[in-house]
Amino acid sequence: MKNVVLASTSTLHGETYLSYLLPVIRSLFAGISEVIFIPYARPGGISHDEYTDKVATVFATAGLKVRGLHTFNDPAEAIRNGAGFFTGGGNTFLLVKQLHELQLMDVLRWEVEKGKPYLGTSAGSNIGGVNMQTTNDMPIVYPPSFQTMGLVPFNLNPHYLDPIPDLPHMGETRETRIREFQEQQDLTVVGLREGSWIRVKGSKITLEGSVSARIFQRGKEAYELEVGEEIIF
């Protein structure tokens, strides 16, 4: 029975890191003493240790210990023995490259599918989808594969932004980019706005948080999914 949270972001405007997700963290990891943190996305190029320390400080307020996956001699064995996992944001290309090169993507998926709790934010949520090809990140490295865990049967676009009317910007909107992707792949994409997250409990998938999500399906008009609604295609 899968037990997963895929959040659009780690930090809401005007708030501190992970503060809005603290109730979710307490609930998701209830009964667990230590969470394995996967720091490979490395936002801004900070070190794995610095990133892990940042997470550990917040998780401590929820009574949880954190250990970075990079500190284990055998990270695959650490995942197999771990009780719960958190993958933070940063660059999805970098995250996916390292997970594949260390042969951890499938190991992590297998353990999460067994029911071990998993939290992702931003890049860590992108890898919960079928593939990472709807990320907003720049391709700063080249992963061996774009395939991700497929914890949900669709792709995500975290940090989704709606078009702004009358904005003097001639570049592509997020919706345009998603539609370009769907010209190549017949895969639903959930535009996940800041303050919302996807909750997976077993086979049930719902939208939670404070704002609606935008649903894109190939050849159909986009529509809004409201908080509390089940995601069924």
Side-chain angles (χ1 to χ4, degrees):
M1 180 174 174
K2 284 185 282 192
N3 188 16
V4 174
V5 171
L6 304 173
S8 178
T9 188
S10 61
T11 312
L12 294 181
H13 178 71
E15 296 188 15
T16 57
Y17 182 66
L18 293 176
S19 61
Y20 85 105
L21 286 172
L22 268 175
V24 178
I25 290 169
R26 292 189 181 99
S27 174
L28 179 66
F29 296 113
I32 291 175
S33 60
E34 183 177 83
V35 174
I36 292 179
F37 174 58
I38 301 169
Y40 299 148
R42 296 181 58 191
I46 64 174
S47 72
H48 293 152
D49 285 340
E50 289 170 330
Y51 200 4
T52 302
D53 288 345
K54 182 178 181 179
V55 171
T57 298
V58 177
F59 272 54
T61 66
L64 293 162
K65 295 180 181 178
V66 168
R67 184 171 176 187
L69 185 59
H70 66 291
T71 65
F72 291 88
N73 291 328
D74 186 339
E77 187 66 17
I79 290 173
R80 284 190 285 266
N81 292 331
F85 313 99
F86 170 41
T87 306
N91 187 279
T92 308
F93 287 88
L94 184 60
L95 171 63
V96 171
K97 180 177 187 289
Q98 190 138 15
L99 286 173
H100 277 302
E101 288 182 345
L102 294 173
Q103 299 182 346
L104 299 177
M105 188 73 77
D106 287 337
V107 177
L108 182 60
R109 173 176 60 83
W110 294 330
E111 294 306 311
V112 175
E113 287 181 343
K114 290 177 183 177
K116 294 180 181 180
Y118 176 86
L119 169 65
T121 59
S122 190
S125 294
N126 271 326
I127 64 170
V130 176
N131 62 54
M132 59 156 288
Q133 290 171 262
T134 49
T135 178
N136 303 310
D137 297 326
M138 288 187 176
I140 61 173
V141 293
Y142 187 31
S145 169
F146 293 137
Q147 170 262 327
T148 47
M149 289 191 287
L151 301 177
V152 291
F154 48 82
N155 264 19
L156 300 172
N157 179 245
H159 313 291
Y160 177 76
L161 292 173
D162 296 287
I164 302 174
D166 303 320
L167 182 71
H169 169 66
M170 300 304 293
E172 294 82 357
T173 64
R174 292 282 174 82
E175 180 168 354
T176 301
R177 291 299 194 197
I178 291 169
R179 291 305 190 187
E180 288 173 345
F181 165 79
Q182 289 179 325
E183 285 294 316
Q184 305 301 316
Q185 296 190 41
D186 187 6
L187 188 61
T188 297
V189 179
V190 176
L192 201 57
R193 298 184 178 98
E194 308 293 66
S196 62
W197 59 88
I198 290 167
R199 185 71 172 98
V200 185
K201 288 186 176 181
S203 60
K204 186 174 182 180
I205 307 172
T206 56
L207 178 71
E208 306 295 339
S210 59
V211 289
S212 62
R214 191 78 170 160
I215 307 300
F216 298 91
Q217 293 180 291
R218 187 177 187 179
K220 299 180 181 180
E221 290 291 323
Y223 66 92
E224 293 293 308
L225 183 79
E226 300 301 325
V227 172
E229 290 186 344
E230 192 170 356
I231 303 177
I232 303 174
F233 305 123

